[in-house]
Amino acid sequence: MLEVGDQIHLGTVTFDQATVERYLAAVEDEALSRLNREGGTAWVPPMAMAAQFSAAVSQMQLPLEALHTAQELEFFGPVPLGRQITGQARVVGSRQRSDLALIHLELEGRDANNAVVLRGRTTLLWPKEGTE
Amino acid sequence: MAQQAAPTLPRELPPVVRTLTQEKIQRYGQASGDLNPVHVDPQAAGRSRFGGTIAHGMLVLAYVSEAMTAAFGLDWLRSGRLRVRFRAVARPGDVVSAGGQLRSLREEGDRWHAVYEVEARNQRGEVLISGEAEVEVAGEGR
């Protein structure tokens, strides 16, 4: 199980046109699609980056029923299409109650120049075994 | 002394309304890489405490972000901040409405910080997500 202080590499993703279009179609984001269509430059949806790294968090050593209960995100964009972003997470807290377990993580996404493009904090919660 | 007047901002964010389906949840799972069975495997999810599949919280949060993008465009991508709690799960068939209301506006240097109370509700009025969204915008020339 994850412990406070653990660092987790969340992977490196190139947010190319196909990746971004797939994301925008999945969330039906008309506002960002319009922004990209009408502007001279196409941008990576910040939530697409957050989604990728949030998914990586969900794939960690956590139970099936672990749920996000809180999320903080901060965007430092706009990030042009085609950028490669690397995600990193750090466990900053964990708590055990009689029936529940919680974990707090800080997330960060950096581009190839090491500039922070996304920062966040997430809380996951799951029922402890034998409590249902 | 302020160089620019407070910007004119929408008091209310026009709501983003989306109907969730299992197909959309699958599509989001593929796009994000989050293929947790509780979202994409109806049989496995049926055996969980949820009794069926649930939407990814980040999918519902994307609707809140869309409402901010629609109102603030590049400013949202440049300086957006979200602080939310996931209050309840969303399921296939739910009609989700995401929006927000302006809570405060403060000046900081030559920029203005607008804070919106945001939320997403289902068709029964149950709050799925609540919290705040902050964005930095330019003032208006005097």
Side-chain angles (χ1 to χ4, degrees):
Chain A
M1 190 51 76
L2 295 166
E3 293 179 3
V4 173
D6 283 354
Q7 302 264 359
I8 305 123
H9 178 64
L10 301 176
T12 297
V13 180
T14 301
F15 289 90
D16 55 16
Q17 189 165 349
T19 305
V20 166
E21 281 179 0
R22 195 163 50 242
Y23 174 82
L24 290 175
V27 299
E28 306 171 273
D29 190 331
E30 294 163 6
L32 215 138
S33 297
R34 190 168 48 248
L35 194 69
N36 280 353
R37 217 173 30 246
E38 293 172 358
T41 308
W43 308 105
V44 177
M47 287 297 292
M49 297 184 280
Q52 289 283 341
F53 297 134
S54 173
V57 165
S58 298
Q59 309 294 316
M60 295 184 317
Q61 310 153 42
L62 297 170
L64 170 78
E65 295 184 349
L67 284 181
H68 287 92
T69 59
Q71 183 78 58
E72 293 178 20
L73 290 168
E74 198 173 354
F75 311 141
F76 304 92
V79 175
L81 204 67
R83 285 284 165 88
Q84 197 177 59
I85 308 297
T86 299
Q88 195 78 23
R90 188 165 63 94
V91 181
V92 294
S94 73
R95 242 181 334 150
Q96 303 274 334
R97 301 204 309 228
S98 58
D99 54 344
L100 295 170
L102 281 116
I103 194 165
H104 304 284
L105 297 117
E106 285 180 354
L107 315 175
E108 202 169 72
R110 290 178 180 264
D111 67 13
N113 298 319
N114 209 31
V116 176
V117 297
L118 174 80
R119 195 169 276 150
R121 187 180 167 98
T122 190
T123 303
L124 292 123
L125 170 151
W126 61 92
K128 285 171 76 174
E129 275 181 46
T131 58
E132 288 184 67
Chain B
M1 186 174 155
Q3 298 301 305
Q4 293 186 309
T8 306
L9 301 177
R11 308 293 308 174
E12 201 157 319
L13 301 174
V16 170
V17 181
R18 298 282 183 268
T19 301
L20 287 170
T21 64
Q22 187 58 44
E23 187 193 343
K24 289 181 185 177
I25 295 170
Q26 301 283 147
R27 209 185 302 153
Y28 181 84
Q30 294 290 343
S32 66
D34 187 346
L35 297 170
N36 185 327
V38 82
H39 303 303
V40 300
D41 182 341
Q43 282 195 326
R47 292 190 296 272
S48 75
R49 67 187 163 119
F50 303 112
T53 55
I54 58 171
H56 305 74
M58 293 294 281
L59 169 57
V60 180
L61 187 57
Y63 303 150
V64 175
S65 181
E66 181 181 351
M68 291 298 287
T69 306
F72 296 101
L74 279 180
D75 282 334
W76 177 241
L77 277 59
R78 187 178 293 123
S79 66
R81 280 184 185 196
L82 276 166
R83 282 180 290 272
V84 300
R85 294 189 74 82
F86 297 97
R87 305 283 180 186
V89 297
R91 299 174 184 276
D94 280 355
V95 180
V96 177
S97 180
Q101 290 186 317
L102 182 62
R103 196 180 69 191
S104 67
L105 180 63
R106 71 174 195 275
E107 191 179 8
E108 219 171 88
D110 60 348
R111 305 285 287 176
W112 293 78
H113 289 254
V115 178
Y116 282 79
E117 274 182 12
V118 293
E119 64 175 22
R121 289 178 183 262
N122 64 17
Q123 69 279 14
R124 292 179 296 280
E126 296 163 342
V127 177
L128 306 172
I129 289 176
S130 65
E132 60 180 40
E134 183 172 345
V135 64
E136 193 182 301
V137 293
E140 289 175 2
R142 288 186 197 273

